Amino acid sequence: MSWQTYVDTNMVGSGHVHKGALISAADGSVWAATPAFNITQAEADHLRSKIDSAGALCATGGTVGGEKFFTLQHVQPGLWYGKKGEEGICVAKSGQVLVVGVYTKGQTAANCNMTVEGVKDYLVSVSY
């Protein structure tokens, strides 16, 4: 399965994620993303440098795809939840990948989080 298939089918195709991406935890390169979800290198680097330190994103939040999200929760290393207006974000890190999912109006945080964390759990199970 290609990386793009994870985003298109497993995340966005679930109906629980509006925009999704897979980012390399090693160098911040974007392996796959929803069209027009443009994550810059600086945004990816900020996420990957802070995601493993619980609380590190609490003060700064994070900008992803040009949108600034404030932190709802970052108490567990490798897992961050954010919010901006009617949109929210979940970022979950496996060994090698940051799985990013954004939900919007009509979608719930719980379902987006479950979907993103499910993809992350699968990647961990196959040593990614």
Side-chain angles (χ1 to χ4, degrees), residues 24-71:
S24 168
D27 65 10
S29 60
V30 177
W31 291 353
T34 304
F37 190 28
N38 301 314
I39 300 170
T40 68
Q41 186 67 48
E43 292 169 348
D45 287 343
H46 180 76
L47 281 178
R48 67 188 191 88
S49 71
K50 304 283 186 185
I51 194 81
D52 284 330
S53 299
L57 289 163
C58 288
T60 62
T63 301
V64 182
E67 299 290 329
K68 175 77 172 178
F69 295 89
F70 70 87
T71 297

Side-chain angles (χ1 to χ4, degrees), residues 7 19 60 67 72 82 87 109-110 128:
V7 172
K19 296 183 278 191
T60 62
E67 299 290 329
L72 290 175
E87 288 190 330
Y128 265 95

Side-chain angles (χ1 to χ4, degrees), residues 81-110:
Y81 305 106
K83 183 90 170 126
K84 177 190 182 225
E86 294 183 340
E87 288 190 330
I89 191 167
C90 175
V91 180
K93 182 185 175 205
S94 70
Q96 300 178 42
V97 183
L98 297 178
V99 181
V100 180
V102 174
Y103 64 91
T104 193
K105 185 177 181 178
Q107 297 172 315
T108 67

